[in-house]
Amino acid sequence: MVPGLVRLSVLLLWELGVGVASDVTQEPAVLHTPKGNNTELKCSHTKGISYYQMYWYLQRPGENMQLVVFTSVGLEPEFGNFDKTKYEVVKKEAAHGSLTVKNAQAEDGGVYFCA
């Protein structure tokens, strides 16, 4: 990796039997961002309006996956064991949401999952 850049990867996460990968889209798939930048990750689905909740997870290298935040249309987001000032989440409609990593640092690197 280039010094001074933070690598954030986004992968699809879904439950077996609930959907297929084409139902959920996350962008960008892989991102290298300069340290200190804010970085937005987007998630959308085509499952319908009854799927209005969204979970964002982070898996750092060599660690288990951890819940960053749970969000739902019209409700305040619920953060896991992460500093809520580090992340901003937007969920205005059932099919779309975003997670912003603020002031990206090396320790923010890893794989981000949307479910």
Side-chain angles (χ1 to χ4, degrees):
M1 180 165 43
V2 178
L5 293 180
V6 178
R7 179 186 171 118
L8 306 176
S9 299
V10 181
L11 295 179
L12 301 177
L13 178 67
W14 68 95
E15 293 182 39
L16 186 61
V18 173
V20 295
S22 62
D23 288 347
V24 179
T25 304
Q26 292 184 214
E27 298 175 338
V30 176
L31 174 67
H32 291 92
T33 189
K35 286 184 181 180
N37 277 17
N38 291 350
T39 301
E40 182 181 45
L41 308 172
K42 296 179 182 181
C43 183
S44 62
H45 67 79
T46 58
K47 298 189 72 59
I49 62 171
S50 61
Y51 290 82
Y52 54 88
Q53 300 170 329
M54 190 169 285
Y55 297 83
W56 285 95
Y57 295 93
L58 168 59
Q59 186 168 18
R60 293 181 174 124
E63 295 183 13
N64 292 327
M65 188 173 19
Q66 297 179 11
L67 175 68
V68 175
V69 64
F70 161 78
T71 187
S72 183
V73 176
L75 298 177
E76 288 293 316
E78 296 179 23
F79 288 84
N81 294 325
F82 288 86
D83 179 4
K84 64 182 177 180
T85 63
K86 180 68 178 174
Y87 298 95
E88 179 180 332
V89 65
V90 175
K91 183 80 167 120
K92 294 182 181 178
E93 57 186 82
H96 303 280
S98 66
L99 176 73
T100 298
V101 181
K102 298 178 184 177
N103 188 25
Q105 300 297 314
E107 60 267 21
D108 300 320
V111 179
Y112 288 82
F113 299 87
C114 168

